[in-house]
Amino acid sequence: MAPPSPETMTHAEAAQLLREAQDRFIASWGRMGSAWGISRTMAEVHALLYVTGEPMNTDEIMDRLAISRGNVSMSVRALLDWGVIQKTHKRGDRKDYFQAEQDVWTMLRAIARERIKREVDPLLQSLDEIRELTPDTARATPEDLAALNTRLDAVQECFELMSVLSQKFAGPTGAGLKSAAKLLAKMPTGAGKGERR
Amino acid sequence: MAPPSPETMTHAEAAQLLREAQDRFIASWGRMGSAWGISRTMAEVHALLYVTGEPMNTDEIMDRLAISRGNVSMSVRALLDWGVIQKTHKRGDRKDYFQAEQDVWTMLRAIARERIKREVDPLLQSLDEIRELTPDTARATPEDLAALNTRLDAVQECFELMSVLSQKFAGPTGAGLKSAAKLLAKMPTGAGKGERR
DNA sequence: GATTGATTTCAATATTTTCTGAAACATTCT
DNA sequence: AGAATGTTTCAGAAAATATTGAAATCAATC
């Protein structure tokens, strides 16, 4: 089980090690994906393309992950929609090849952007609609309705901020998400007046 | 369908409106939750407690959401684990009552903290293990292994940063997540050297 | 220490999500 | 136009998840 020291490693041993490491990464990424509401297989296809770095075609993906052609087709299509993989071609080969975005931060930006668009924005829209139901124009409004509106406002404010942030940092032309994150990491604990204890 | 103007609204009408608005919020929050890998019902229970603001007991929750006792028990327990609701009591009443954290940012902090702990940290641990498999000490290491390690490093760096950020801003004693977010929102587009395009 | 009321657990069931595989559809080549 | 090759779709099958409900457990009261 202990890997042979690099000096004595044969080519075959190295290949096996590579494969093992890739498989483990694929499995971890898949687990993570499914915890966050992305289908395990879709995450695995993505992991495979990312970790190998190579463009792969449908058959290669099918074989490597032991999944059906239809499943590959659907997963790959979804990944294209998310904008985290690209279609490429090889001279003299009719097959479609797929290649993952190689920069992790660009990848995360794409994911964040899509998720906000798909899940936060619809929530905001619902909140708007709900607000229309409950006019708070007059102070004659019963107390409970007013309290409700206060709560809805709080949620709305918060998710709107998220949506704005995502446009700013995760948009296709967005400023660096990476640098923003590093900036925050360096920010002294306790900065800002909103600190709690 | 159009709501009566506030001046002419009867008490009953207001109550009905309130109920309708609450139900819609609960439904939206539930949808959102399930998109993010949280069970719909658990999210709905949380939404109910948040939107009413009142402590509620098991029977009230069962009735309002039309779900079984067992389901309420399990959902409530999970929400307690997440730290987004609290157990309370009423004098002369043996039942347990549950109340949601009312500050949205505190709530989001709790959620972020838990998710990082449950899903990002295990990924980091896996990455560590995978790294142990693939020694890159020697330059004798075949090219592919080296390339793999480069990719794993990129992922690791990125998620480690996330984990650190979560401790900083989402920890129980963490600095204000809200103020950090607002800070970012105000940050001029293009700040940082990581900008693209 | 038995009764009453509340809560938790968990095997069985129901629901939702994901996956397959083969047919339909495209595209390119001869 | 027809053959060959590649891709997508989608109804049904399989797997994964969530839910119920009744029995077991726990806790307070008499």
Side-chain angles (χ1 to χ4, degrees):
Chain A
M1 262 299 149
S5 82
E7 290 76 16
T8 62
M9 208 182 337
T10 67
H11 180 65
E13 281 166 345
Q16 196 190 345
L17 216 55
L18 179 67
R19 169 66 74 115
E20 160 97 11
Q22 288 176 343
D23 284 349
R24 289 238 231 162
F25 176 76
I26 292 166
S28 297
W29 197 249
R31 248 193 311 284
M32 172 103 173
S34 71
W36 288 85
I38 285 163
S39 103
R40 201 189 76 258
T41 301
M42 177 176 156
E44 286 183 350
V45 171
H46 179 233
L48 172 61
L49 294 175
Y50 173 75
V51 88
T52 63
E54 293 293 308
M56 292 179 83
N57 64 36
T58 304
D59 293 275
E60 290 167 346
I61 299 172
M62 280 173 68
D63 292 347
R64 179 67 185 268
L65 299 180
I67 58 180
S68 73
R69 185 175 300 282
N71 202 357
V72 171
S73 174
M74 293 201 289
S75 298
V76 142
R77 140 87 71 139
L79 290 168
L80 287 168
D81 286 349
W82 280 75
V84 293
I85 69 173
Q86 273 193 325
K87 222 184 248 200
T88 63
H89 288 285
K90 285 190 175 168
R91 294 236 159 283
D93 188 342
R94 286 224 230 136
K95 288 189 168 68
D96 287 346
Y97 281 73
F98 304 97
Q99 177 160 228
E101 164 62 50
Q102 284 296 298
D103 181 77
V104 193
W105 291 95
T106 302
M107 188 179 98
L108 286 184
R109 282 224 312 271
I111 293 172
R113 180 170 65 246
E114 279 303 300
R115 295 210 75 146
I116 297 277
K117 190 170 84 192
R118 291 172 196 214
E119 292 136 16
V120 174
D121 289 352
L123 175 72
L124 285 173
Q125 164 128 25
S126 292
L127 283 174
D128 266 345
E129 287 168 20
I130 296 171
R131 290 308 307 272
E132 280 171 26
L133 272 187
T134 60
D136 63 354
T137 47
R139 42 228 90 272
T141 302
E143 191 159 296
D144 286 345
L145 267 186
L148 171 78
N149 283 334
T150 303
R151 291 197 186 86
L152 294 183
D153 281 346
V155 176
Q156 199 167 11
E157 186 202 3
C158 162
F159 282 87
E160 245 152 32
L161 185 51
M162 272 193 200
S163 185
V164 168
L165 279 183
S166 91
Q167 265 151 41
K168 195 154 204 163
F169 294 100
T173 60
L177 177 61
K178 182 179 188 176
S179 34
K182 288 196 164 163
L183 190 98
L184 281 180
K186 272 188 221 125
M187 190 168 134
T189 301
K193 55 184 182 318
E195 184 182 13
R196 284 161 201 278
R197 160 145 326 251
Chain B
M1 263 296 151
S5 82
E7 290 77 15
T8 61
M9 209 184 334
T10 67
H11 180 67
E13 281 166 345
Q16 197 191 345
L17 217 54
L18 179 67
R19 169 66 74 116
E20 161 97 11
Q22 288 175 342
D23 284 349
R24 289 238 229 162
F25 176 76
I26 292 166
S28 297
W29 198 247
R31 249 193 310 284
M32 171 104 174
S34 70
W36 287 85
I38 284 164
S39 106
R40 201 189 76 259
T41 300
M42 179 175 154
E44 286 183 350
V45 171
H46 179 233
L48 172 61
L49 294 175
Y50 173 74
V51 86
T52 63
E54 293 293 308
M56 291 179 83
N57 65 37
T58 304
D59 292 274
E60 290 166 347
I61 298 172
M62 281 173 66
D63 292 348
R64 179 66 185 268
L65 298 180
I67 58 180
S68 74
R69 186 174 299 282
N71 202 356
V72 171
S73 174
M74 293 201 286
S75 298
V76 141
R77 140 87 71 136
L79 290 168
L80 287 168
D81 286 348
W82 280 75
V84 293
I85 69 173
Q86 275 194 323
K87 222 184 249 200
T88 63
H89 288 285
K90 284 192 175 168
R91 295 233 160 283
D93 188 343
R94 287 223 231 135
K95 290 187 168 68
D96 287 347
Y97 281 73
F98 304 96
Q99 177 160 227
E101 165 62 49
Q102 284 296 296
D103 181 79
V104 193
W105 291 94
T106 302
M107 188 179 97
L108 286 185
R109 283 223 313 271
I111 293 172
R113 180 169 65 245
E114 279 303 301
R115 295 210 76 145
I116 296 278
K117 190 171 83 193
R118 292 173 197 213
E119 291 137 17
V120 174
D121 290 351
L123 175 71
L124 285 174
Q125 164 127 23
S126 292
L127 283 174
D128 267 345
E129 287 168 21
I130 296 171
R131 291 309 306 273
E132 281 171 26
L133 272 187
T134 61
D136 61 355
T137 48
R139 41 228 91 271
T141 302
E143 191 159 297
D144 286 346
L145 267 185
L148 171 78
N149 282 335
T150 305
R151 291 197 186 86
L152 293 182
D153 281 347
V155 176
Q156 200 167 10
E157 186 202 4
C158 161
F159 282 86
E160 244 152 32
L161 186 50
M162 270 194 202
S163 185
V164 168
L165 278 183
S166 92
Q167 264 151 42
K168 195 154 203 163
F169 293 102
T173 61
L177 177 61
K178 183 180 188 175
S179 35
K182 289 196 162 162
L183 191 97
L184 281 181
K186 271 188 222 126
M187 190 168 135
T189 301
K193 54 182 178 332
E195 185 184 12
R196 288 171 192 273
R197 163 130 333 207

